Amino acid sequence: MKIKKCLFPAAGYGTRFLPATKATPKEMLPVLTKPLIQYGVEEALEAGLNTMAVVTGRGKRAIEDHFDISYELEHQIKGTSKEHYLSEIRSVITNCTFSYTRQIEMKGLGHAILCGETLIGNEPFAVVLADDLCDNEDDGVLSQMVEVYNKYKCSVVAIEEVPIEDTNKYGVIAGSIISDSDQESSLYQVTDMVEKPDPKDAPTNLAIIGRYILTPDIFDILRKTKPGKGGEIQITDALLEQAKLGNVIAYKFKGKRFDCGSVDGFVEATNYFYEKTVLPD
Ligand code: G1P
């Protein structure tokens, strides 16, 4: 089945960005002039996904307003020299649909994804964590992952090598390389996954970043998944159940990833996009 839907867990508090995130969703923080979540939506659209499903929470209404028409603004700006500022967001709104559900309690990423079941149903889907901002000159990271999914028809997680001392910030995988000349040894059959292990316990330094393709059996697994690291329901633990059946592939993606959930990563992304983009007048 073709992947059409992309889930955006967006209920988190963004405490690391307080006070900016007190009344503004962290997903709406801009890198240059574009909110983080719009980068994620554009990456999904580029991968051929046009149905966006957003798991929001209290205080997140700005996300819904962002992906809607503002009639006052359209009226003010129409025919002026400033109209081009709206072209990207207009194109997003025209080319995809958005639906929303709320996560009532913060019980972890696995729980947030399970909340999205009502919007996803029984089909494979992508997950984008908007604070991991990805960029590639050619195909975007989700496009690359959709290609992997189309070949193997199982869950796919994006990974990158991180310094071993950072393994406690990520889900970490172990696996065996699938030899594949096309993908240049970038595919692993996952054999183990651990959420945020101490460096001394980490099976490897291959960290999962915020891009997933999940098959819908993940929902039944999540329903049975007990709270894990930090007392939260972890997607990593649910994926391990699929991995035990040989149904998870880790993909070392091509491109850059910025951890915009941290101030350092956010500044790095801002500098990178500033240098890359010619800012409109
Ligand atoms: C989540 C996941 C973790 C993954 C990370 C990627 O953690 O639980 O496995 O490596 O996203 O960004 P979080 O960053 O939400 O703490």
Side-chain angles (χ1 to χ4, degrees), residues 110-140:
H111 177 256
I113 292 173
L114 183 55
C115 289
E117 183 182 20
T118 182
L119 305 175
I120 299 293
N122 190 27
E123 56 185 279
F125 61 103
V127 176
V128 167
L129 307 184
D131 50 16
D132 272 338
L133 179 48
C134 294
D135 189 53
N136 190 36
E137 292 304 326
D138 300 320
D139 285 352

Side-chain angles (χ1 to χ4, degrees), residues 10-278:
Y13 297 126
T15 36
R16 279 188 287 175
F17 275 86
L18 281 169
T21 48
K22 186 161 176 257
T24 302
K26 66 170 172 166
E27 295 76 14
M28 290 300 296
L29 295 179
V31 166
L32 304 188
T33 55
K34 202 190 302 187
L36 284 173
I37 193 164
Q38 189 179 330
Y39 286 92
V41 169
E42 288 175 356
E43 186 184 324
L45 266 173
E46 188 238 348
L49 284 56
N50 62 4
T51 307
M52 310 301 159
V54 191
V55 178
T56 66
R58 289 178 290 282
K60 298 278 187 165
R61 285 186 196 162
I63 298 175
E64 291 171 59
D65 290 339
H66 184 70
F67 294 112
D68 195 356
I69 297 261
S70 163
Y71 284 103
E72 303 89 277
L73 193 59
E74 292 287 336
H75 178 73
Q76 284 287 330
I77 226 168
K78 202 168 179 56
T80 73
S81 61
K82 297 190 174 140
E83 202 171 352
H84 66 98
Y85 289 122
L86 284 178
S87 59
E88 274 182 311
I89 185 65
R90 276 180 182 161
S91 155
V92 166
I93 295 169
T94 314
N95 288 307
C96 57
T97 62
F98 291 86
S99 56
Y100 300 88
T101 190
R102 279 194 182 198
Q103 185 182 10
I104 308 293
E105 292 173 282
M106 300 303 118
K107 292 200 222 162
L109 179 57
H111 177 256
I113 292 173
L114 183 55
C115 289
E117 183 182 20
T118 182
L119 305 175
I120 299 293
N122 190 27
E123 56 185 279
F125 61 103
V127 176
V128 167
L129 307 184
D131 50 16
D132 272 338
L133 179 48
C134 294
D135 189 53
N136 190 36
E137 292 304 326
D138 300 320
D139 285 352
V141 176
L142 267 191
S143 284
Q144 298 167 40
M145 293 173 75
V146 166
E147 210 175 296
V148 175
Y149 171 80
N150 287 341
K151 187 161 174 191
Y152 293 92
K153 303 283 186 229
C154 67
S155 290
V156 183
V157 297
I159 51 165
E160 72 177 8
E161 287 187 42
V162 297
I164 195 80
E165 61 272 19
D166 286 346
T167 56
N168 57 4
K169 296 184 192 155
Y170 301 96
V172 172
I173 69 118
S176 44
I177 288 184
I178 303 172
S179 63
D180 182 323
S181 53
D182 292 347
Q183 306 282 354
E184 296 160 16
S185 315
S186 53
L187 295 174
Y188 294 75
Q189 177 85 52
V190 176
T191 51
D192 195 13
M193 316 181 79
V194 198
E195 180 66 7
K196 304 196 173 111
D198 276 349
K200 64 176 176 11
D201 303 324
T204 66
N205 67 338
L206 298 172
I208 302 170
I209 63 118
R211 298 290 181 279
Y212 304 79
I213 289 180
L214 302 173
T215 52
D217 54 309
I218 200 75
F219 294 126
D220 277 339
I221 301 173
L222 279 168
R223 253 185 284 282
K224 292 186 207 129
T225 302
K226 302 253 169 358
K229 191 92 186 182
E232 297 188 330
I233 298 172
Q234 300 293 351
I235 189 63
T236 308
D237 295 341
L239 276 163
L240 178 58
E241 296 306 308
Q242 290 187 330
K244 284 179 188 162
L245 303 172
N247 292 336
V248 181
I249 284 181
Y251 170 61
K252 212 191 266 179
F253 63 94
K254 297 190 192 78
K256 283 186 174 300
R257 192 250 346 173
F258 300 96
D259 172 15
C260 291
S262 76
V263 174
D264 286 352
F266 197 94
V267 171
E268 219 183 293
T270 304
N271 289 333
Y272 169 85
F273 282 97
Y274 185 78
E275 274 163 36
K276 183 178 154 163
T277 315
V278 181

